[in-house]
Amino acid sequence: MPVVFSQLEDLANALSEKVGNSGIVGIDGWTGVGKTTLAMDLARELGAAFFDLDCALIHDQGEYVLALRMSEISIALAKRHRPLMLSGVCLFEVLAQLGTRPDASVYVKRMAKWGWADEDEVTGLVFEVPGAGGNAIRHEMRLYHQKWQPHLDADFEFQRAG
């Protein structure tokens, strides 16, 4: 089970201890939870580099992982000389295709008064309208969560107020 944080500084300190002056920190989570914002904030706090998988995305393909330009991600991974904050959905799947893993991982959860706001999305309990835009990618993310369980297997969890 991941160690839970809700303060940026506390998470940054834990990551610094875990990865030191190098390493890949994977920031994962459901779409729209603030992965990119957290990764940029952590990069600034730790003097690290930053790369978001969406920067390598070929848009309007109806899928995510297969629509990524893997060569761009490989370049970002190879040219780092300091820690790299790498954010994106389906992160473990992408890194597995590139033959690597993060040295530390953070799963971002959007929290509400009742608990994890995106849990129904992850578990597939949300109603989908056939043919609706985005449903294919949401389905891909659900399958990813079932296979990799990043919400359970991350080193750290960062909880954002929703």
Side-chain angles (χ1 to χ4, degrees):
M1 294 298 287
V3 178
V4 178
F5 292 95
S6 60
Q7 299 297 316
L8 176 74
E9 296 79 17
D10 296 336
L11 176 58
N13 289 336
L15 287 170
S16 181
E17 287 179 23
K18 185 154 180 76
V19 300
N21 293 326
S22 64
I24 300 167
V25 176
I27 314 286
D28 203 344
W30 195 257
T31 187
V33 299
K35 296 176 300 297
T36 302
T37 301
L38 178 63
M40 289 188 305
D41 290 345
L42 286 168
R44 188 170 31 258
E45 184 82 14
L46 297 170
F50 161 77
F51 187 84
D52 186 74
L53 296 181
D54 287 354
C55 293
L57 181 65
I58 303 167
H59 294 277
D60 301 322
Q61 301 298 303
E63 56 194 357
Y64 190 79
V65 175
L66 293 177
L68 290 169
R69 292 182 295 273
M70 294 293 185
S71 61
E72 289 182 24
I73 301 166
S74 292
I75 290 168
L77 295 174
K79 70 177 189 178
R80 63 186 167 77
H81 301 289
R82 55 188 172 152
L84 172 66
M85 301 297 136
L86 180 67
S87 62
V89 297
C90 303
L91 187 68
F92 288 115
E93 183 70 33
V94 171
L95 291 177
Q97 287 190 20
L98 295 171
T100 192
R101 289 191 48 83
D103 298 295
S105 61
V106 178
Y107 191 86
V108 182
K109 284 187 176 179
R110 179 178 20 230
M111 302 303 288
K113 290 180 182 176
W114 65 87
W116 182 15
D118 298 308
E119 188 170 17
D120 287 348
E121 287 274 16
V122 169
T123 58
L125 297 176
V126 172
F127 177 73
E128 292 183 31
V129 180
N135 277 343
I137 293 173
R138 288 162 64 152
H139 180 71
E140 182 178 357
M141 286 190 292
R142 282 189 197 106
L143 293 176
Y144 164 77
H145 274 79
Q146 290 171 3
K147 176 181 178 181
W148 291 95
Q149 300 196 352
H151 53 297
L152 300 176
D153 290 338
D155 298 303
F156 307 105
E157 179 180 301
F158 189 74
Q159 296 187 351
R160 288 197 179 279

